[in-house]
Amino acid sequence: MGGKLCQSRRNQPPAVLRHIRLRRPFPHGPDQGRSRTSALRAVTIRVLPAAAPGARREGRYPVGVLQRFERRLESMVQGAFTRAFRSEVQPVEIAAAIQRELDNNAQIVSRDRSLVPNDFVVELGPSDYDRLAAYIGTLATELVELAREHADLQHYAFTGPVGVGFERHEDLGTGAFRIRSAVRAGVDRGASFAPTSTTERHADAFLVINGTQHPVLPPGVVLGRGSECDLRIDDPGVSRRHLEIRVYQQGPQSQLVAVDLGSTNGTVVDGARVGQAPLSDGSRIVIGSTVIDVRRRSPGR
């Protein structure tokens, strides 16, 4: 889920119309001759005073979420935080961008449930990043809370823990920022899958799921949403028993084969939908919205 470039305006009073310049990532190749600046467009976000508890605003956004976010920040860091944000980028603009990212990427999975991203990265230019560096921990915590509040009000569902990170990008000027988002499913090891530290250390193959490494041990590993699976993935696009990684020993080396277990949405290996397929170091498997990378240990290591 790509980010949009946001450009804020300096010295805006609170509780007024806020104007942010947005653009999508460069949608045309360089050979088409379209400049990046031609993709810019102005968007107005109306930030209203907080309403009484339980009140709702007409339209998509609930009253008070952004205001509560600003007040929590002010109470935590008081004047020091306000002085730091005399730069172009304002916390409420980042918060509003995360709300829009949730709304724009909501995927309906049932009548009362929509799946939304749970992993966000805020890209800032060098000036704004350096200015915010001392407050990034506090700001990230409050942005996570804001995302949860907004999701609760809109009946959105997360597939795993909500996280917000910040990155420094040299191509962004002061006042510009981008939001990247992704759906990262929670992954747990089943009760029957409990390799010892020694066994895990000597495994010659691993599955990397959302940054966490899991060993592949003979005779294989079953992945799915069900509690009986070796690796449980909380992704609505994954079947209860979705995929098995089978291990076939061939002398000192082992062969890995991905076998779809009759899943509803299928299994994709290296870009092709398969019933079963051999795996090698660097193979990429996609089930539901979850990406799984295969890592093999080099012989002799």
Side-chain angles (χ1 to χ4, degrees), residues 129-152:
Y129 184 90
D130 293 345
R131 190 182 297 268
L132 297 179
Y135 308 100
I136 279 177
T138 298
L139 182 54
T141 299
E142 291 305 320
L143 288 170
V144 166
E145 182 62 24
L146 173 133
R148 288 174 176 157
E149 288 182 14
H150 186 65
D152 183 60

Side-chain angles (χ1 to χ4, degrees), residues 89-98 122 124 132 139 143 166 177 179:
V89 175
Q90 302 293 320
V92 70
E93 293 168 347
I94 298 174
I98 287 179
V122 182
L124 297 167
L132 297 179
L139 182 54
L143 288 170
F166 290 80
F177 66 98
I179 303 288

Side-chain angles (χ1 to χ4, degrees), residues 27 49 54 83 85 88 98 122 129 138-139 141 150 181 192 214 236 242-243 247 251 258 267 269 277 296:
R83 288 193 297 274
F85 279 101
E88 292 285 348
I98 287 179
V122 182
Y129 184 90
T138 298
L139 182 54
T141 299
H150 186 65
S181 66
S192 61
H214 305 276
H242 194 115
L243 172 71
V247 181
T267 297
V269 176
R296 300 297 304 267

Side-chain angles (χ1 to χ4, degrees), residues 25-38:
F26 193 31
H28 299 275
D31 57 333
Q32 292 180 289
R34 181 176 179 181
S35 69
R36 287 174 176 263
T37 54
S38 64

Side-chain angles (χ1 to χ4, degrees), residues 174-213:
T174 301
F177 66 98
R178 287 188 295 255
I179 303 288
R180 298 198 321 266
S181 66
V183 175
R184 297 193 182 277
V187 181
D188 298 311
R189 295 184 180 183
S192 61
F193 185 69
T196 66
S197 58
T198 301
T199 303
E200 190 161 346
R201 194 164 52 247
H202 288 90
D204 65 0
F206 299 88
L207 303 179
V208 181
I209 310 174
N210 295 340
T212 302
Q213 186 169 272

